[in-house]
Amino acid sequence: MFYIIGPRGSGKTTIGKLFAESKGYQFVDTDKLILEKAGKSIAEIVEQHGWDYFRQLESEILKSIAQDDVIISTGGGIILADENQKVMRDNGTVIYLNAKPEILAKRLAAEPQADQRPSLTGKSLVEEIAEVMQQREPIYRATAHYIIDATQPIDEIIAQLNDLS
């Protein structure tokens, strides 16, 4: 089991799908499972129930995935709960897709999604990403077994991931 962690825009879903394909594994996206379980977008969940409720759903979904041949793309904030860090480290290999805030903001601005998560800070995209990354970067690094530069060409990232497994 492989867990892919990192901030929004780091390529977790894109890389996860291609990595799963290359290994013949199933691909699972925790955000997608949350949408299916709740029957509403993340923005709607947060608006109606708050971030704490969303984080609780996220933890439940993470713990419910119990198969070996799977690549799991996680939400950017999944690492905020100590229990989630432990679940991932104890049950699989954790891969952190690392990129600078400017790169992440450029990627997110290039492909805005209608159901994109609500702002965590109310600041501009670059400011928000920089602030969130300042808080989360040490946690991503502490949780990960491997850190991958997410700014490399996708085929190089997949080759590196296949070398790990």
Side-chain angles (χ1 to χ4, degrees):
M1 192 175 319
F2 290 87
Y3 298 92
I4 302 178
I5 63 171
R8 290 189 300 159
S10 61
K12 297 182 301 284
T13 300
T14 302
I15 298 297
K17 284 179 181 173
L18 292 169
F19 184 35
E21 217 172 86
S22 75
K23 294 192 70 61
Y25 282 15
Q26 183 181 349
F27 173 74
V28 173
D29 184 319
T30 59
D31 282 351
K32 190 166 184 252
L33 292 178
I34 291 167
L35 297 176
E36 290 168 7
K37 181 176 182 171
K40 50 184 100 166
S41 73
I42 291 169
E44 290 170 325
I45 294 168
V46 171
E47 185 182 315
Q48 294 168 15
H49 305 283
W51 278 106
D52 288 345
Y53 177 79
F54 171 74
R55 295 288 177 218
Q56 183 184 332
L57 273 179
E58 195 171 49
S59 293
E60 288 170 16
I61 292 291
L62 183 68
K63 286 185 229 159
S64 74
I65 303 166
Q67 61 214 62
D68 287 336
D69 297 342
V70 67
I71 310 292
I72 302 158
S73 169
T74 64
I78 205 161
I79 46 90
L80 295 174
D82 292 343
E83 68 175 314
N84 292 346
Q85 296 168 36
K86 182 170 175 25
V87 164
M88 291 187 290
R89 286 193 61 84
D90 289 353
N91 293 301
T93 302
V94 184
I95 297 157
Y96 167 35
L97 293 181
N98 181 27
K100 291 189 175 5
E102 305 76 47
I103 302 282
L104 299 170
K106 195 180 289 185
R107 289 179 178 178
L108 291 171
E111 290 187 42
Q113 298 169 339
D115 65 347
Q116 204 168 68
R117 291 177 179 215
S119 170
L120 293 168
T121 63
K123 298 181 178 177
S124 77
L125 197 54
V126 176
E127 289 175 319
E128 174 168 312
I129 291 169
E131 188 174 305
V132 168
M133 285 303 294
Q134 189 174 9
Q135 175 202 10
R136 295 181 183 176
E137 176 78 11
I139 305 169
Y140 286 134
R141 288 183 175 278
T143 305
H145 293 103
Y146 298 99
I147 299 169
I148 302 287
D149 176 359
T151 62
Q152 301 174 91
I154 289 175
D155 56 341
E156 287 181 30
I157 295 172
I158 299 303
Q160 284 178 38
L161 293 176
N162 280 318
D163 286 347
L164 299 177
S165 51

